[in-house]
Amino acid sequence: MASEDVKASESAVSTIVNLAEEAKLAREGVKAPSHAFLSICKSLVAGGVAGGVSRTAVAPLERLKILLQVQNPHTIKYNGTVQGLKYIWKTEGFRGLFKGNGANCARIVPNSAVKFFSYEQASKAILLLYQQQTGNEDAQLTPVLRLGAGACAGIIAMSATYPMDMVRGRLTVQTEKSPFQYRGMFHALSTVLREEGPRALYKGWLPSVIGVIPYVGLNFAVYESLKDWLVKANGLAEDSELSVVTRLACGAAAGTVGQTVAYPLDVIRRRMQMVGWKDAASIVTGEGSSKTRLEYNGMIDAFRKTVRHEGFGALYKGLVPNSVKVVPSIAIAFVTYEMVKDILGVEIRISD
């Protein structure tokens, strides 16, 4: 009788243990996707905040850069960085310095979120393939592989948000005296769709794709490679131990390299975005005459006409304010991204 009680007790205990294990597995099975979802959200939010903060910080220089890129060479209004900023302040006031920034943030927040998230996912996928091919589970991404991951991230993010970039370019070049005024991003989108058709929202997409490969690719490759080198040189365990100033310097170097290589394509992209806008002739010229309507028959034609009518230097119009703004912009973006991820990571662990 006693033995039967013991067996019954053991059976009951075994059943309870099994049920507890099953319950634990069930909880883990439910919790795992939740953690994965939170991780994705954390990455997207961090990337979006990084983009919004960095672009707003340099908005006046960003606007001046675009105005210099597309201004009519026969009617020079903006002649250099300092003079250009003063002219905007004098003619349009403080708000003029930030014209188009709302549309820029509406574009850059999702763009930056997708870009950073895509880079992380592309890096993981490329690293996994690289480890499988080399048979080395401890292998790390090389600068070339990081360049590829960055290029993939840039193309995905840019393509996903390109229509907003296109209308942002037009909003940015408007002045108080422009013959036609877009009232905002949504009004610009609807007007372009109605007057020029859906394809107009992707004008300048090809040079953007070509330019984003070296620009974003080099940004990530140089930034990550510099951090790795500094971690090893200083005998640190991980890159999170690097100071904010050091990471800012890495981001600044990455931004300088990327924008210098890709800048001519950015100029052509902006000019192509003006094509089809009936009031663009008051801003930029295509055929060397101040009143001639802007017309480019593709990227190559835009390069040819720009160089023929304005010289090779026209491909680098706005480079100075862009260089001034790209260093803090890229640096702030990278550091803000990592800091927000750290903050969100702490909050998630506390809530758990």
Side-chain angles (χ1 to χ4, degrees):
M1 184 73 176
S3 62
E4 290 179 357
D5 289 340
V6 170
K7 287 180 180 179
S9 298
E10 289 178 348
S11 177
V13 170
S14 177
T15 301
I16 292 170
V17 170
N18 288 335
L19 288 171
E21 289 180 350
E22 289 177 5
K24 181 181 178 182
L25 290 172
R27 285 198 306 272
E28 289 177 349
V30 172
K31 198 171 184 179
S34 176
H35 278 295
F37 178 73
L38 285 174
S39 178
I40 291 172
C41 289
K42 181 175 72 171
S43 182
L44 289 171
V45 169
V49 172
V53 170
S54 64
R55 288 308 175 96
T56 300
V58 297
L61 290 166
E62 175 70 11
R63 186 181 182 217
L64 178 61
K65 178 201 77 170
I66 296 175
L67 286 168
L68 287 168
Q69 284 179 336
V70 303
Q71 79 169 333
N72 191 324
H74 299 276
T75 312
I76 301 294
K77 296 179 181 178
Y78 313 99
N79 188 18
T81 305
V82 176
Q83 182 275 336
L85 291 173
K86 286 182 177 179
Y87 184 84
I88 294 172
W89 178 282
K90 180 180 177 180
T91 57
E92 302 180 59
F94 179 78
R95 292 182 62 186
L97 295 171
F98 291 86
K99 184 168 287 185
N101 187 55
N104 193 25
C105 286
R107 174 193 70 91
I108 202 63
V109 168
N111 178 283
S112 185
V114 172
K115 181 173 64 180
F116 277 101
F117 176 70
S118 298
Y119 177 73
E120 287 192 349
Q121 300 307 308
S123 296
K124 291 176 183 177
I126 291 172
L127 178 59
L128 181 61
L129 290 172
Y130 182 58
Q131 290 174 340
Q132 290 176 348
Q133 288 184 351
T134 59
N136 180 8
E137 294 183 356
D138 297 324
Q140 297 297 317
L141 287 172
T142 65
V144 174
L145 293 177
R146 287 199 178 103
L147 178 65
C152 290
I155 291 172
I156 292 169
M158 183 274 298
S159 298
T161 59
Y162 192 80
M164 286 186 284
D165 180 68
M166 189 272 185
V167 299
R168 193 265 300 200
R170 293 194 178 186
L171 283 167
T172 301
V173 302
Q174 282 187 164
T175 67
E176 300 300 326
K177 297 180 180 179
S178 295
F180 178 81
Q181 295 286 328
Y182 292 122
R183 295 191 296 272
M185 185 179 67
F186 292 107
H187 178 246
L189 281 169
S190 62
T191 303
V192 172
L193 277 171
R194 184 177 66 254
E195 296 183 354
E196 303 173 47
R199 292 183 62 183
L201 294 175
Y202 281 86
K203 286 176 178 178
W205 180 82
L206 181 58
S208 297
V209 169
I210 297 172
V212 83
I213 294 173
Y215 181 64
V216 178
L218 284 170
N219 277 349
F220 280 109
V222 174
Y223 180 69
E224 296 292 344
S225 297
L226 279 175
K227 284 200 306 179
D228 285 351
W229 178 77
L230 288 169
V231 166
K232 293 177 182 177
N234 292 283
L236 303 176
E238 53 187 21
D239 59 22
S240 61
E241 296 180 32
L242 293 172
S243 68
V244 172
V245 174
T246 301
R247 283 183 281 174
L248 280 170
C250 292
T256 301
V257 173
Q259 66 94 25
T260 301
V261 173
Y263 194 79
L265 287 159
D266 188 55
V267 172
I268 295 304
R269 169 180 64 142
R270 291 297 173 203
R271 295 193 167 205
M272 291 181 70
Q273 287 176 348
M274 303 300 129
V275 173
W277 187 15
K278 63 179 182 297
D279 297 305
S282 64
I283 302 166
V284 62
T285 180
E287 295 291 345
S289 170
S290 61
K291 296 299 181 181
T292 302
R293 187 165 176 164
L294 179 69
E295 291 294 343
Y296 295 130
N297 297 316
M299 183 180 69
I300 302 300
D301 185 52
F303 267 110
R304 180 174 56 82
K305 287 179 178 176
T306 298
V307 173
R308 184 175 67 192
H309 295 302
E310 301 172 55
F312 184 79
L315 296 175
Y316 286 90
K317 281 185 173 181
L319 180 62
V320 173
N322 189 66
S323 298
V324 173
K325 69 95 181 171
V326 80
V327 172
S329 176
I330 297 296
I332 291 170
F334 276 119
V335 174
T336 303
Y337 175 71
E338 293 183 352
M339 291 178 69
V340 173
K341 279 196 70 177
D342 289 342
I343 292 169
L344 292 176
V346 171
E347 290 179 351
I348 289 171
R349 287 194 290 273
I350 290 174
S351 66
D352 288 341

